[in-house]
Amino acid sequence: MATRRFRTDNRAVDALYDRLSATDLQPLWELTGLLTPEPVVGAVPYRWSGEDLRALGEASGELVPVERGGDRRVLACCNPGLDGAPYAVPTLWAAVQYLRAGEVAPAHRHTPAALRFITQGQGVWTLVDGDPVHMSEGDLVLTPSWTFHEHHNPSSEAMTWMDVLDLPIVAALGAVFFEDGPTDEASTATAPRSMSESWYGGGPGLVPVAGPSAPGSRSPLLAYRWADTDRALATQLKASGRGVAVIRFADPVRGGDVMPTLRCEMHRVESGRRTDRTRQTGGRVACILHGTGSIAIGGETFDIGPGDILAIPSWSPWDVQAETELDLFSTSDAPVLEALGLMRHDAVDAADLVAVP
Amino acid sequence: MATRRFRTDNRAVDALYDRLSATDLQPLWELTGLLTPEPVVGAVPYRWSGEDLRALGEASGELVPVERGGDRRVLACCNPGLDGAPYAVPTLWAAVQYLRAGEVAPAHRHTPAALRFITQGQGVWTLVDGDPVHMSEGDLVLTPSWTFHEHHNPSSEAMTWMDVLDLPIVAALGAVFFEDGPTDEASTATAPRSMSESWYGGGPGLVPVAGPSAPGSRSPLLAYRWADTDRALATQLKASGRGVAVIRFADPVRGGDVMPTLRCEMHRVESGRRTDRTRQTGGRVACILHGTGSIAIGGETFDIGPGDILAIPSWSPWDVQAETELDLFSTSDAPVLEALGLMRHDAVDAADLVAVP
Amino acid sequence: MATRRFRTDNRAVDALYDRLSATDLQPLWELTGLLTPEPVVGAVPYRWSGEDLRALGEASGELVPVERGGDRRVLACCNPGLDGAPYAVPTLWAAVQYLRAGEVAPAHRHTPAALRFITQGQGVWTLVDGDPVHMSEGDLVLTPSWTFHEHHNPSSEAMTWMDVLDLPIVAALGAVFFEDGPTDEASTATAPRSMSESWYGGGPGLVPVAGPSAPGSRSPLLAYRWADTDRALATQLKASGRGVAVIRFADPVRGGDVMPTLRCEMHRVESGRRTDRTRQTGGRVACILHGTGSIAIGGETFDIGPGDILAIPSWSPWDVQAETELDLFSTSDAPVLEALGLMRHDAVDAADLVAVP
Amino acid sequence: MATRRFRTDNRAVDALYDRLSATDLQPLWELTGLLTPEPVVGAVPYRWSGEDLRALGEASGELVPVERGGDRRVLACCNPGLDGAPYAVPTLWAAVQYLRAGEVAPAHRHTPAALRFITQGQGVWTLVDGDPVHMSEGDLVLTPSWTFHEHHNPSSEAMTWMDVLDLPIVAALGAVFFEDGPTDEASTATAPRSMSESWYGGGPGLVPVAGPSAPGSRSPLLAYRWADTDRALATQLKASGRGVAVIRFADPVRGGDVMPTLRCEMHRVESGRRTDRTRQTGGRVACILHGTGSIAIGGETFDIGPGDILAIPSWSPWDVQAETELDLFSTSDAPVLEALGLMRHDAVDAADLVAVP
């Protein structure tokens, strides 16, 4: 494609602009919108309804075999502000995956990191580098960068869940690698408890001296179970007395975030409470686990209920109003912004807060 | 813009696809090119000729006042593979800036970090947060994220240099902020030696116990002078006996790269030598300071000479053949790839190498 | 004290030695034992019997009021190899503390960090910066450097536990500070669950986004409960299949050790099993929680049972033979050795181990 | 040695104390001086006169061959407060070494790290892992932990310099290892410039992309030359306008201190100036390179001149009064105190200071 040619009402300048275009150069002074006073992002505040997602997952399940195209039956959330790119916000892929009773999705691996958050149901196992991790409502399951993963559903019910990947980030950096699994056959192994959890899920601050290795800067703990998360939220809610509790999912061995590109949190808001309105740089995807209420993002307000997926663009202020007690899962690119010195957030009363490392 | 609608030859599937589109969802199995075996990037190997850049800078200088549009007279290198985006590679802005005798460019600051590399001439001062940093051939000058900077040319000659910014990265993360300087008047202060260098440029491994602060993870040393770089290259060339010397510009206080998003290096290749052919994830921009020869990038080969700017896309192998002794400045997004666990490079004989921290 | 004067059979050399002594110099060539092929430490392998410790605690309780001298009723383990210094190994203070029903020990704080490990009983609260932490069998409780701490026993039973401090290290570095609490009255506050645990004890890898601050590099979680530790050991024992499980107590937010100077671990050895024989630089104190068997340290072997405290000097190989299932608490100065690049340990088959960060 | 037995005027208590002693326990409440309000250290402020050190080095040179005892002709500074221990302060060994014309001292290595600071003369080469490093007035030369080192003096003049080791720290941690060099013959290799400097001494912030490895957390640059240090001090003195300049010797690749246990600095004080009076935890050894004046340490004041070695104990306030321009080399255990969270220093106006990383 030819480099863009600018036009003015001055022939000499136009001649210069022709030369620039021919040499694949552009005059900065004609480019607008590059350096804006505040972040300007195409992505808009958006909600995908949990009901729609379940219904369309089911419809896809009836029409589309899981083998067809790309190993997975996945519906990608496309933010309407992103010109058709299949991303929920510019840095995050969010999607629902649907697996029918008895189906299997074969193993592959890729450098983009993925996480699964389960809003409903249970019965599927995800194998991460061969370790069978059961998936159930409220669980967070990781498939870190370059780990082989496959899914199988030995239960009698179809199951759906949310996938989030850092794919746009990895693609923007020119670092996407993909590889099929060693065999075309999905493993159908199961286990009541994954090896990952047997080693690293012992309890708060308890880590094995010698466990299976987790290369790179990512958590060796691959599943964070709802029973634990629920208890932690309830305890914190009581301790804080603020009507809001937020926990961050952390690498139990090295501290820090579960994966180098993704921060995961669970927010609980008591019935009748509204959270503080805050904003920060970087994109966020939220998913409602339990409860109803509304979320205000930028200038938009959406009613929310179980299974809804929400896009919160960079620098958009947001807050949540809980009608009934709300559990909201959040994932964002915050570790990237922090690593690069680009995180900004609204001032909060931080005097008694401990910094995330 | 409406979410893309896919079409098949099956009416039931088409009806599903209509529903998906209406709900801002896309079926993964119809999306291709997302997860590729190896990085696929639009950017192509490319060269902008130093002669062209100088000539067009000069022509712009005659026609376009520096006040006109965006504070700066800058020509942006547009990689022909990037659909008109004004970027040399997907993650890096590269451009030439041209300042005539007596001109001034007023102060502003932005979250994208910038560096200047000077291929020819001297006489301009860049003020970084008020500290006057003289610019001369072979120097590397930093204007880190969110530092005010302005330029003025009190000399009798026009001057040109290369700018590189991490703008595409910061924009992709929704983290661009911009602010005009406190006054519209550019300062015309000069100094034989910047304060930054007086404090932090003392010598190898010599840092002040108490110097002016450098918030964030970036170098407090703002200028790396050619006399030092030249001597370091000459000494290393002799010590290595390999015909190639490469130095990395480092933060003298904290170690690591000069800025959290940009790695800067200078490569010297002896006359008649060819470098090893290597590749890595992430984009690179190179600029020839001295010497002639050729560079092979992916399947392309370009003759190179002083002032040339080169785009080396992610995962493209490259090597340099020196006709006369070559000094090549390189800048890349390697710190980003490393921070996110996404750096891959060709195996090299690393037994006797010290890892970059 | 005058500087030591060396003597030879050479009058000229003797005259030189006199001059050296008068000038507070010593001739290296007369000093022996400074640079030894392997570590030579005075401390000897040693065991303090749990029965003795309990009996003597009780006897002290009858004779010595808790107010008498230094706020605490504490018996310090004195390694017989350390010339009367009240230390279990050269770098660690270990002691038993005894608190009778109804007694209180008032608040103070000091830069040496302390931990409590409870081998028997329950009913005492330790207040750490005002937060009441209940103590019960098998629990590990931290009182990090410079936190106020006080103890009170509202129960009807006396209670005893082990204290370990990094006092010798802090003293060697000339960094001991001490301060009495704000009042002479010990607080008798209690709580079913400490605030520390409400915020930071949620579960494996679950940390609050905004909890009470923990300045410095130490865990904000102040208590590690036996129920969690027991479960983690049992799960790991099953997963490993090796008859031995070892967990490390970690900072749940930042990863790494609970305090900058002390590493804490719990070892479980199945009945009939013997652990590998290993050694490492730095001192270690162990304490038997449950079970019987024997421990071989250097050339010594000791029968072990509940409540026993053991000194494992630097570089002494040790292993444990379990007669019945053994739970052994271990604390060492390993973080210090690692921070200073001085950790050495016997090679083990580390191919499948994850490094402690 | 038997554990100390305490005595009271109460027979029952005495009986208890007998039992404690027999069981190798000591009652905390009889131990005093363990937890002091502020650091109490045996070491006293002290000065070893440069004239004495040179004279006694020379006298030793005449009487004692370098082969005799321990490979080195070294006179250790014994702080009179340390009960005859051959240490300048509790954590640091300081000494003068004397090598006559033509002498050689054979290779060995040890885990204690060493540095050499040269106050006068030149002509000796220290080989560090085989790399010949010339020593000259004002230079700082490192022999990091576990590097082989040997010295030879091919010149026609004897030479003396100061050695500082972290030996007391390494010994306290039970981590002393020692090994003779591969041969008994000292190498007499020389080189105008060490390989270490050819690779890592290029200039401020200039590091090789691939240089010889430096395992562990220590500087790969082994010599800091006076010409560089002098220039850095002069430039900083002018920039600061405070009459005092202080540079820290840093690892050019990783930032931070030259070795994990030792911080090295050079202080320049203008003629007629007095430095601020400060104190910090941890011990310090200073050595006068140039100039005269006085130093006040705690309650003592010493006249100072070239070659003097000074002991500055932990928490002792100190300041320097320059009669003529003073250059003072300082080394301390500050990295240890910082790593362990034990560093305290007097508040200074730190608003515009950059923290040491």
Side-chain angles (χ1 to χ4, degrees), chain B residues 165-177:
Chain B
L165 282 83
D166 61 3
L167 173 58
I169 297 169
V170 182
L173 294 170
V176 171
F177 291 84

Side-chain angles (χ1 to χ4, degrees), chain B residues 184-222:
Chain B
D184 287 344
E185 300 284 294
S187 164
T188 55
T190 64
R193 187 178 172 88
S194 68
M195 287 303 281
S196 155
E197 291 163 275
S198 292
W199 284 99
Y200 293 99
L206 303 180
V207 300
V209 163
S213 67
S217 294
R218 55 90 168 172
S219 174
L221 180 61
L222 298 175

Side-chain angles (χ1 to χ4, degrees), chain C residues 131-149:
Chain C
D131 187 13
V133 184
H134 186 249
M135 295 166 74
S136 184
E137 186 178 316
D139 294 347
L140 167 64
V141 172
L142 311 180
T143 50
S145 180
W146 210 235
T147 51
F148 281 113
H149 51 281

